[in-house]
Amino acid sequence: MFDRDFWRDRIEGAWTRRSVVVLVGVRRSGKTVLCRALGDVEYLDCELPSVRRVLDDPESFLRSVRGKRVVLDEVHRLPDPSELMKIAADHFPDVRLLATGSSTLQATTKFKDALTGRKEQIWLTPMIESDRASAGGDLEQRLGRGGLPAFFLAGGSEADMQEWLDGYWAKDVQELFRLERRASFARFVELVLARSGGIFEATAFAAPVEVSRTTIANYLSVLELTKVAHVVRPFSSRRATEITHTPKVYAFDTGFVAAFRGWNELRGEDLGQLWEHYVLNELHARAPLADIRYWRSTRHQEVDFVVMRRGRRPLAIECKWRADGREDLRGLKAFRRAYPGGENLVVASNVDRPFERELIAGDRVRFVGLETLIDRVS
């Protein structure tokens, strides 16, 4: 395996602010390996019956680990995980507790307390740029293989991905959300992966999945809560010339997107679409509080991402695989004619030193790499 210093530092920093930290992320995103890489921790796997028996009496358990750093992996396997975490936060502040799970834990029926003000949550996304650099391999490999560490290192086959989807249904969806109609849900997941990054119209999914629009909305909420899909809502001042309600939906991992689109060999246009997903992943990981939207006019002019910033004009971001002087920036120009004066960024994989060009009269656009993007958004 490889070092994930960014995430280890994120956990250590969270422990200085809260005694209870929750680490969430999709299955096989590397939560267990990351937790075991932390220094001086006592690791317990809550999938084991023997561990669950030890945790049946939270007070006795917490007394036995006073002053220690403890990992409770797959904490949602406990009958009432929030009870143990609440007792730890309120009565055993000298215990540093790290609980992991594959979904947004407090959204599940097992969580009877949201632990507001008692915990800090960290979302472990698929591999970010610093992870890729540590693991080796080039950016195109990361886009094609995806960001689940095992898949990136060994290359995930079709059978591996199907096994992942089977585990996702059995251990996340079925156990935590009690959904029925596995075939319909599986078909919905496949369509989300294949259509990732596009405008999400529920009616376009209802017919092929053979369920109602209401059920489609419920399925999407499950994907969002389990971090398998990310909903990006439109930026709008409710003008008649803008899309105001319809979201875009991005799947969680570039490798799954490429596989379900049948992209065995990545062309330039494929890399451009996967790069957009990768930029969003980097923003989620490194600017977790950013309010990320997109903009689209009724004339189909579009800006990939618009970041809302309180008291400041919105930051517009276009994602381009390569900056070569031939970029189509018509959407960015249309956006700035409607909302002049804000900062404009084109983030490209081949920009090491930022540079600027004129966009329209009074507005300029800056071409940047990922590091500068995060600096501007954070």
Side-chain angles (χ1 to χ4, degrees):
M1 196 46 74
F2 52 90
D3 291 332
R4 304 187 80 177
D5 294 343
F6 171 85
W7 297 105
R8 188 168 61 245
D9 292 346
R10 175 74 65 85
I11 292 170
E12 295 287 358
W15 261 337
T16 67
R17 296 182 291 272
R18 291 277 188 270
S19 62
V20 175
V21 176
V22 177
L23 181 69
V24 300
V26 299
R27 184 164 303 281
R28 302 194 71 179
S29 57
K31 297 185 298 296
T32 298
V33 174
L34 176 61
C35 290
R36 288 183 175 276
L38 296 169
D40 189 27
V41 295
E42 185 167 332
Y43 174 86
L44 295 95
D45 184 350
C46 297
E47 287 194 312
L48 298 176
S50 59
V51 170
R52 293 199 293 272
R53 286 194 294 271
V54 168
L55 300 176
D56 274 344
D57 186 343
E59 291 181 65
S60 294
F61 167 72
L62 290 167
R63 277 195 291 269
S64 72
V65 293
R66 295 203 85 131
K68 294 183 178 180
R69 295 146 53 105
V70 179
V71 172
L72 299 181
D73 205 2
E74 300 291 330
V75 73
H76 53 277
R77 303 289 179 236
L78 303 180
D80 187 2
S82 57
E83 179 188 40
L84 187 151
M85 295 162 69
K86 183 178 180 180
I87 293 171
D90 291 348
H91 301 287
F92 296 87
D94 59 330
V95 176
R96 288 294 177 265
L97 189 66
L98 177 63
T100 83
S102 295
S103 69
T104 303
L105 299 175
Q106 61 267 34
T108 67
T109 55
K110 286 187 175 183
F111 258 71
K112 300 177 176 62
D113 191 306
L115 303 174
T116 303
R118 293 184 172 93
K119 71 177 188 321
E120 184 163 330
Q121 182 165 296
I122 297 171
W123 170 15
L124 178 64
T125 68
M127 292 167 58
I128 60 175
E129 185 64 3
S130 61
D131 297 329
R132 183 196 65 79
S134 176
D138 61 32
L139 182 55
E140 290 189 24
Q141 287 179 315
R142 164 62 180 84
L143 296 181
R145 294 180 179 180
L148 302 186
F151 286 19
F152 174 76
L153 293 172
S157 66
E158 184 176 337
D160 292 330
M161 291 187 178
Q162 187 56 56
E163 181 185 8
W164 188 97
L165 290 169
D166 291 342
Y168 171 62
W169 167 263
K171 294 190 175 181
D172 294 332
V173 177
Q174 185 69 355
E175 183 171 323
L176 298 176
F177 297 95
R178 309 292 184 189
L179 291 187
E180 300 177 353
R181 302 189 64 173
R182 174 176 179 170
S184 293
F185 183 79
R187 177 59 177 155
F188 176 71
V189 174
E190 291 172 2
L191 288 175
V192 168
L193 290 167
R195 301 176 184 180
S196 180
I199 299 292
F200 186 88
E201 295 278 3
T203 52
F205 289 82
V209 177
E210 299 181 336
V211 295
S212 67
R213 292 181 76 257
T214 300
T215 301
I216 289 295
N218 184 37
Y219 284 176
L220 180 59
S221 69
V222 170
L223 294 190
E224 189 174 17
L225 289 168
T226 54
K227 307 297 189 186
V228 170
H230 315 308
V231 177
V232 179
R233 292 174 172 79
F235 170 87
S236 171
S237 57
R238 300 191 179 277
R239 303 181 185 194
T241 56
E242 302 177 317
I243 289 180
T244 58
H245 297 294
T246 311
K248 291 172 69 173
V249 172
Y250 290 82
F252 74 105
D253 182 65
T254 59
F256 277 74
V257 172
F260 277 82
R261 290 186 177 181
W263 293 346
N264 296 318
E265 298 291 334
L266 297 178
R267 303 161 298 173
E269 61 194 76
D270 305 333
L271 289 166
Q273 293 182 51
L274 296 177
W275 172 248
E276 185 178 329
H277 286 70
Y278 192 56
V279 170
L280 182 61
N281 185 73
E282 198 83 7
L283 288 169
H284 282 151
R286 300 180 61 191
L289 300 181
D291 183 359
I292 303 169
R293 313 285 182 93
Y294 81 98
W295 179 82
R296 190 175 189 182
S297 74
T298 53
R299 295 181 179 180
H300 305 293
Q301 298 159 319
E302 186 171 321
V303 173
D304 292 330
F305 304 121
V306 176
V307 178
M308 307 290 292
R309 298 184 292 183
R310 184 173 297 178
R312 301 167 66 186
R313 291 184 175 90
L315 168 64
I317 301 169
E318 277 286 279
C319 305
K320 303 294 182 185
W321 173 239
R322 291 283 189 256
D324 57 12
R326 296 175 294 176
E327 300 82 19
D328 182 357
L329 301 180
R330 285 175 291 182
L332 199 56
K333 291 177 181 178
F335 179 75
R336 280 303 169 211
R337 290 189 184 102
Y339 301 97
E343 189 174 7
N344 308 296
L345 300 177
V346 171
V347 56
S349 64
N350 64 336
V351 175
D352 296 320
R353 184 186 297 271
F355 61 91
E356 288 189 358
R357 293 178 186 157
E358 184 177 37
L359 184 64
I360 57 175
D363 278 299
R364 297 183 66 78
V365 58
R366 195 176 195 206
F367 289 74
V368 302
L370 283 174
E371 287 301 318
T372 303
L373 170 70
I374 297 303
D375 288 342
R376 303 309 300 164
V377 172
S378 299

